[in-house]
Amino acid sequence: FSQLDSDYKILEVGLGTNNPEIVSSMGLNGKPGASLRAFRDTFSKAYVFGADVDEKILFKEDRIDTFFVDQNDLSSFNNITKAIKGEFDLIIDDGLHYQLSNLNTLIFALSNLSNNGYLVIEDIGIWTIETWKIVEKILPKNFQSTIVSMTVNNFVFIVKKIDSSQ
């Protein structure tokens, strides 16, 4: 994280809706966008972006901008690429936590990570771990990945884009 206090671009997919009608809601007491504000406040030079399917929680503040993205629709990620020039240094998927949605975020990240940038997919259930073992094997050669066990049933998938110029 020491690199994050430079001119760093962070994207978090899944802002934490508190609308109980929307899948993956945090509940009525949730604070949408709290993690974006924490990144901004912790890393004084980072620019932070967020994406969520709940348009009612999208916002813009100093060094934070958010966009509509439906993780189940890969084309909706174009809302980000149309507005943001350049690549992201860190992409965090904390959205729907379904294989399809996670895989769509991965596909987006493969084309939108900077050299030495990272993708972190949170909350991968053990029942989907075989999918991620296959993904590890078929990633392009300029990406490294690892599966990290958080608990017996919960994992994180981390991908790093290798700087091919070095």
Side-chain angles (χ1 to χ4, degrees), residues 41-109:
D41 296 347
T42 302
F43 305 108
S44 64
K45 296 178 186 170
Y47 203 94
V48 183
F49 301 93
D52 204 279
V53 70
D54 184 356
E55 294 181 276
K56 292 179 181 175
I57 65 167
L58 301 180
F59 65 98
K60 184 175 179 120
E61 293 179 2
D62 180 44
R63 292 186 295 115
I64 297 177
D65 204 356
T66 60
F67 303 93
F68 171 80
V69 167
D70 176 353
Q71 284 184 278
N72 290 324
D73 177 6
L74 182 58
S75 68
S76 73
F77 281 89
N78 292 336
N79 292 331
I80 299 170
T81 55
K82 286 178 190 172
I84 307 300
K85 302 302 176 221
E87 298 167 320
F88 295 96
D89 301 294
L90 174 63
I91 299 174
I92 301 165
D93 181 341
D94 191 18
L96 287 176
H97 309 296
Y98 296 149
Q99 285 179 304
L100 172 64
S101 59
N102 293 148
L103 290 169
N104 281 339
T105 302
L106 171 67
I107 292 167
F108 168 80

Side-chain angles (χ1 to χ4, degrees), residues 1 7 13 17 33 38 48 53 69 95 114 130 133-134 140 154 163 165:
F1 283 112
D7 189 16
V13 179
T17 183
V48 183
V53 70
V69 167
S114 63
E130 293 305 316
K133 289 178 181 179
I134 293 168
N154 193 328
D163 185 351
S165 66

